[in-house]
Amino acid sequence: MNKVRVRFAPSPTGFLHIGGVRTALFNWLFARHSGGTFILRIEDTDRDRSTDEAIQVIMDGMKWTGLDWDEGPIRQTDRLDLYREKAMDLFKGGHAYWCVCTPEELEIRRKEAQARGESIKYDGRCRERGISEPTDPAALRFITPQEGQTVLHDLIKGDIVFDNSVLDDLIILRSNGYATYNFSVVVDDGLMNISHVIRGDDHVNNTPRQVPLFEALGFSVPQFAHLPMILGSDKARLSKRHGATSVLAYQEMGYLPEALVNYLVRLGWSHGDQEIFSIQEMVEHFDFKHVQSSPAVFNPEKLKWVNAQYIRNKEPKHVAEALTPFLQKAGYDEAAIARIPGGVEALIPPLRERSETLLDFVEGAAPYLVESMTMDEAAATKHLIPSIAPILQEFADLVEVESDFSKEMLERMMQGLVERQGLKMGKVAQPLRVALTGRTVSPGIYEVMALLGKDRTIQRIRAGAKRALHN
RNA sequence: GUCCCCAUCGUCUAGCCUGGCCUAGGACGCCGCCCUUUCAAGGCGGCAACGCGGGUUCAAAUCCCGCUGGGGACGCCA
């Protein structure tokens, strides 16, 4: 009894939006928290704008973020007859009437009303006509109560009161015979026994028009929870001009799905001061009481930080799995990866402290994936000076004759060398770094050597020494 | 224009329901210091907010009213 049943109901008219993912996530969390059912429903009644590709993209995005659904995907276009049937039931029951006003006429009247500063709702002129069987194309309108009030008990915002006088008779069946969004939603939510409607608060104003529909159809009215919007940095609703808004884009930018989900859950929900949540923790603690009722600005900087946290704390093996496709995409083949002793996984510990995204790893790993790296000329000019040449040469000789290539051994040899020469570690390490990586920035020098392997280490130091001699 | 929602550091937020523990806490970012072979990471510290005005109360970030500001909705789109 009273089983929790929730749904995520996107319309497949484009990509899966970051705001959509958050809506899906909150539905999913609530379902998992309460042992309920999470349903994926595709709202594709707008046949002109819905595409199969978009449906696939939505499902891919949800799979990537780990939001698995228990039922569906249910497509509204498979249920068109059902909506028509229910609409006709309403007509027969005296809850609806045919309207022969054309969209063009309505548009004109709306404009006029607006110009006069009046409310732009439908004037209801077909309500009294009592057309029993229309000869011209006609839409079916629901007779919406005009007196009294409708109270929405929102789980997030509390009670919201609407005067029914602001409502107009909404179209439930278009003149082409297809149901409208507001109608198909109610039929589906009713028939699927949806217990909680969790959606963006841009739907708040739809609710008082949907509630009488639930009642006329003989369904029990679900509970509602309207999530606040996600805004861009200019406080306007998040859109393309704020940058990436598609989940897929974040995948491509090297974000980990867990990190994106973690960032998104904190956008509007909190559990004390906690910032990082495992999925289990989110599921355990999720509640509507701690969902913010005010909108939140999407902050890419913090998302990056969360991503970095996950990169640093996940098992290197898992990060390596996520990273591999990025390396391949960047053009590094198996042979390139095989150059690194230990493979991709060996890359993770030395680079993860300096990588906020998987793309940062690709960039940071470049010197170790190739046979001969690209030399930063400015770095070479600055650090590979003639006086350092013999020192590099000596170090290369030491490494060559020593069979132990361990980090400890390398460190001991390096320290000995530095002491004998009476130099500061930095004076040697930095030229060495440039010789080994072609850059001034890298992981610790011994980590670098481990990633290069003995042969390439010696070879690059020698090349560096040669270069230094002629600088 | 009409209706609806919202209002704590630049941003995400704790606290608000059940006034006193708030000299308003945490996080991102920013700045400084420490650590240090580079860059990071890490540690320590700093800057920074209850939108305004009225009430109610011994006491208000917390309750009430107004204002202002922001957002959303007003389609035969979803």
Side-chain angles (χ1 to χ4, degrees):
Chain A
M1 286 308 285
N2 295 327
K3 265 290 252 174
V4 165
R5 287 175 63 80
V6 296
R7 85 307 196 269
F8 173 53
S11 56
T13 53
F15 46 76
L16 180 56
H17 194 269
I18 217 83
V21 176
R22 209 227 357 195
T23 302
L25 172 63
F26 281 33
N27 271 282
W28 184 88
L29 285 173
F30 184 63
R32 295 292 172 261
H33 176 81
S34 45
T37 305
F38 177 55
I39 301 163
L40 175 61
R41 190 172 74 213
I42 306 295
E43 314 242 306
D44 55 353
T45 53
D46 182 353
R47 297 168 309 142
D48 295 337
R49 297 199 301 155
S50 302
T51 65
D52 287 351
E53 294 91 305
I55 294 175
Q56 194 53 51
V57 167
I58 287 166
M59 294 199 293
D60 289 347
M62 290 183 67
K63 279 179 193 154
W64 182 63
T65 46
L67 303 178
D68 56 330
W69 54 94
D70 307 306
E71 291 178 22
I74 293 158
R75 293 182 61 155
Q76 290 193 320
T77 42
D78 291 337
R79 300 160 64 83
L80 264 17
D81 291 340
L82 190 58
Y83 307 136
R84 225 163 286 171
E85 212 174 283
K86 290 288 177 191
M88 290 317 290
D89 285 350
L90 247 27
F91 175 70
K92 285 174 208 151
H95 289 293
Y97 60 89
W98 292 108
C99 173
V100 292
C101 301
T102 66
E104 295 73 30
E105 288 167 2
L106 293 171
E107 180 61 26
I108 291 165
R109 276 186 252 157
R110 256 197 301 276
K111 288 239 170 76
E112 287 171 352
Q114 188 151 30
R116 288 194 301 266
E118 291 169 11
S119 141
I120 49 182
K121 65 181 205 172
Y122 176 61
D123 56 15
R125 64 176 65 183
C126 286
R127 200 175 195 174
E128 306 307 324
R129 284 188 182 150
I131 300 165
S132 54
E133 211 152 322
T135 46
D136 296 319
L140 198 60
R141 283 187 190 268
F142 177 66
I143 299 175
T144 305
Q146 298 292 298
E147 331 259 274
Q149 298 179 321
T150 298
V151 181
L152 156 61
H153 305 283
D154 194 90
L155 261 19
I156 294 167
K157 295 173 189 288
D159 287 0
I160 303 173
V161 182
F162 297 88
D163 277 329
N164 290 341
S165 60
V166 306
L167 271 24
D168 60 1
D169 294 338
L170 64 93
I171 290 173
I172 56 178
L173 219 54
R174 300 185 181 103
S175 52
N176 64 8
Y178 290 92
T180 57
Y181 162 79
N182 269 308
F183 187 62
S184 51
V185 163
V186 172
V187 172
D188 281 341
D189 286 343
L191 252 25
M192 293 174 189
N193 284 310
I194 297 301
S195 62
H196 301 258
V197 171
I198 306 164
R199 58 188 4 170
D201 74 5
D202 48 338
H203 286 287
V204 165
N205 289 289
N206 283 145
T207 311
R209 14 188 25 160
Q210 289 174 1
V211 168
L213 229 26
F214 275 103
E215 288 163 346
L217 255 8
F219 296 130
S220 57
V221 182
Q223 302 221 66
F224 292 94
H226 286 98
L227 306 170
M229 299 275 89
I230 298 178
L231 274 27
S233 51
D234 59 355
K235 305 265 181 129
R237 192 181 173 151
L238 194 66
S239 67
K240 308 103 234 145
R241 67 198 166 80
H242 296 109
T245 51
S246 145
V247 251
L248 190 76
Y250 285 90
Q251 182 180 18
E252 285 172 355
M253 287 187 284
Y255 287 86
L256 262 18
E258 310 90 299
L260 182 64
V261 164
N262 194 142
Y263 174 71
L264 252 21
V265 82
R266 286 284 293 104
L267 220 50
W269 177 77
S270 61
H271 181 66
D273 287 338
Q274 192 169 346
E275 296 285 352
I276 303 297
F277 293 85
S278 67
I279 294 293
Q280 295 87 321
E281 287 174 312
M282 287 181 209
V283 168
E284 183 186 343
H285 299 303
F286 185 79
D287 62 346
F288 288 117
K289 194 179 170 195
H290 293 93
V291 173
Q292 198 83 358
S293 47
S294 50
V297 174
F298 184 82
N299 183 351
E301 288 302 316
K302 187 148 185 182
L303 204 211
K304 258 192 185 168
W305 176 80
V306 174
N307 203 49
Q309 293 300 310
Y310 275 82
I311 282 174
R312 274 170 221 144
N313 297 121
K314 275 186 68 138
E315 289 291 317
K317 195 179 149 213
H318 294 145
V319 181
E321 274 167 27
L323 175 60
T324 304
F326 282 83
L327 291 174
Q328 288 163 347
K329 200 176 168 194
Y332 298 112
D333 57 12
E334 299 220 353
I337 290 166
R339 287 191 183 102
I340 300 167
V344 180
E345 202 176 326
L347 233 28
I348 311 303
L351 288 173
R352 66 176 168 186
E353 309 288 287
R354 311 154 229 269
S355 302
E356 292 184 304
T357 68
L358 296 174
L359 250 24
D360 292 339
F361 273 102
V362 174
E363 160 62 20
Y368 320 108
L369 291 160
V370 293
E371 199 47 55
S372 51
M373 87 281 169
T374 314
M375 177 60 75
D376 172 352
E377 287 306 317
T381 306
K382 183 172 178 200
H383 296 283
L384 297 180
I385 50 176
S387 61
I388 203 73
I391 297 163
L392 292 180
Q393 202 58 257
E394 186 182 343
F395 189 68
D397 292 343
L398 285 171
V399 172
E400 186 153 38
V401 297
E402 174 58 59
S403 58
D404 184 0
F405 191 65
S406 71
K407 200 182 147 182
E408 293 70 27
M409 192 48 167
L410 289 166
E411 191 167 356
R412 212 173 307 151
M413 290 190 288
M414 184 71 171
Q415 231 117 44
L417 177 65
V418 164
E419 272 167 41
R420 267 178 277 128
Q421 298 285 344
L423 290 167
K424 284 249 189 191
M425 178 63 92
K427 287 283 176 211
V428 182
Q430 201 57 358
L432 193 53
R433 169 170 289 109
V434 173
L436 289 169
T437 66
R439 309 170 168 192
T440 53
V441 170
S442 83
I445 206 72
Y446 310 114
E447 279 81 15
V448 166
M449 291 186 233
L451 289 176
L452 252 18
K454 187 167 177 175
D455 292 348
R456 281 191 298 172
T457 296
I458 294 165
Q459 177 196 320
R460 287 189 189 184
I461 296 174
R462 292 238 154 93
K466 202 170 169 189
R467 167 76 195 258
L469 218 45
H470 302 292
N471 218 343

